[in-house]
Amino acid sequence: MAKKSDIAKYFSREFWTKTAAWLIIPGIICFPLEAAGLGVILLVGGGWVVNSKLLGGLTDKDIEDEYKHFAEKNFETAQKACGIDERMLVQTQDWFWFIPNVEMEGNEPKYRKGDDGMVRSNTRGICILNYGKDQIFSWEQLTNIETGLVSYVDTSEYYYKDVIGMEIDQGTTLTLRTAGGPKSYMIAGGKDNKESGDSERARTVISAVRQMLREKKKS
């Protein structure tokens, strides 16, 4: 897993890019204005920012891996919170990230548009699904992968006989439809309507749930 400082650098890249420009550009301008001393100081400062804050660092894939590591690290925690264990599972656990529609107290989300065009936040919601013999157990939590701040945990269970289906509506919302009503998660939209949760993982989960429902109906 990456260091918290490296994650912080990833989400602060836009700030440090602007800081470097504010130092380097005036530094260059100082020389023709016969203020070489100040120019050198500004260029040195700009160079330090570039070398320590911008060069290298985590990639978009590295950040996605951090979300993945957090999910896998909480598999056992999710089971305990739902009151189950490995022996009660009939299929491998699933997980997906989503965009929270509520805020965590004391949390200040940061955002960055990656080289792949996706807008990511250091704060996401995670849902871990455990497949039991008769029902699906869900575990949800909001987390800031930069600071380690997490929210309360929310657990639910859905009996297969009550699950109508699972789908993505208009490419933005993952919805679990049950006899008791729908449960929805935003996987695209958020900040400036461009933020992403994890649509690829969401589609993987949908396929797994649909397969499980087909098998249950056959039996």
Side-chain angles (χ1 to χ4, degrees):
M1 296 181 66
K3 296 178 180 178
K4 291 290 188 291
S5 58
D6 290 332
I7 296 175
K9 282 175 59 176
Y10 176 88
F11 285 105
S12 300
R13 187 175 183 84
E14 182 178 352
F15 168 80
W16 289 115
T17 298
K18 291 179 179 179
T19 300
W22 292 336
L23 292 170
I24 293 174
I25 294 175
I28 294 174
I29 294 175
C30 282
F31 284 90
L33 298 178
E34 298 183 355
L38 177 59
V40 169
I41 293 173
L42 293 175
L43 289 176
V44 169
W48 177 84
V49 170
V50 170
N51 285 313
S52 63
K53 301 295 184 180
L54 297 177
L55 291 182
L58 302 180
T59 64
D60 298 332
K61 182 181 182 304
D62 291 332
I63 291 298
E64 290 297 336
D65 285 342
E66 286 305 304
Y67 295 127
K68 178 176 181 289
H69 294 327
F70 181 89
E72 294 176 344
K73 185 178 69 174
N74 279 281
F75 278 175
E76 185 175 350
T77 300
Q79 288 179 10
K80 290 181 178 179
C82 293
I84 58 178
D85 58 39
E86 287 283 349
R87 295 170 297 178
M88 300 173 64
L89 302 183
V90 296
Q91 187 169 305
T92 305
Q93 290 165 292
D94 271 325
W95 53 270
F96 63 91
W97 289 92
F98 60 91
I99 301 169
N101 57 8
V102 295
E103 297 181 356
M104 279 195 292
E105 184 177 352
N107 183 57
E108 296 184 8
K110 292 181 183 176
Y111 304 88
R112 174 182 166 182
K113 184 176 182 179
D115 296 331
D116 58 2
M118 286 178 57
V119 176
R120 292 176 174 83
S121 173
N122 62 0
T123 304
R124 281 182 176 179
I126 181 176
C127 180
I128 296 177
L129 299 179
N130 286 282
Y131 302 97
K133 180 180 179 182
D134 300 310
Q135 67 257 66
I136 299 174
F137 300 89
S138 78
W139 178 91
E140 297 175 29
Q141 187 178 63
L142 308 187
T143 183
N144 183 317
I145 61 169
E146 178 184 340
T147 65
L149 183 66
V150 296
S151 72
Y152 62 89
V153 170
D154 183 26
T155 60
S156 301
E157 58 183 271
Y158 308 94
Y159 283 87
Y160 294 114
K161 62 182 179 64
D162 295 328
V163 177
I164 299 171
M166 197 175 202
E167 59 193 30
I168 293 181
D169 302 323
Q170 300 180 343
T172 61
T173 307
L174 184 154
T175 301
L176 176 67
R177 301 195 182 281
T178 74
K183 172 69 175 179
S184 297
Y185 305 86
M186 188 186 301
I187 57 172
K191 181 177 173 62
D192 299 327
N193 202 35
K194 295 180 180 179
E195 187 184 351
S196 174
D198 191 338
S199 58
E200 183 177 342
R201 282 296 313 170
R203 287 182 169 82
T204 297
V205 170
I206 287 175
S207 295
V209 170
R210 286 176 175 173
Q211 179 62 33
M212 179 64 71
L213 291 176
R214 284 193 290 267
E215 292 177 359
K216 290 296 179 181
K217 288 180 179 180
K218 287 180 181 178
S219 60

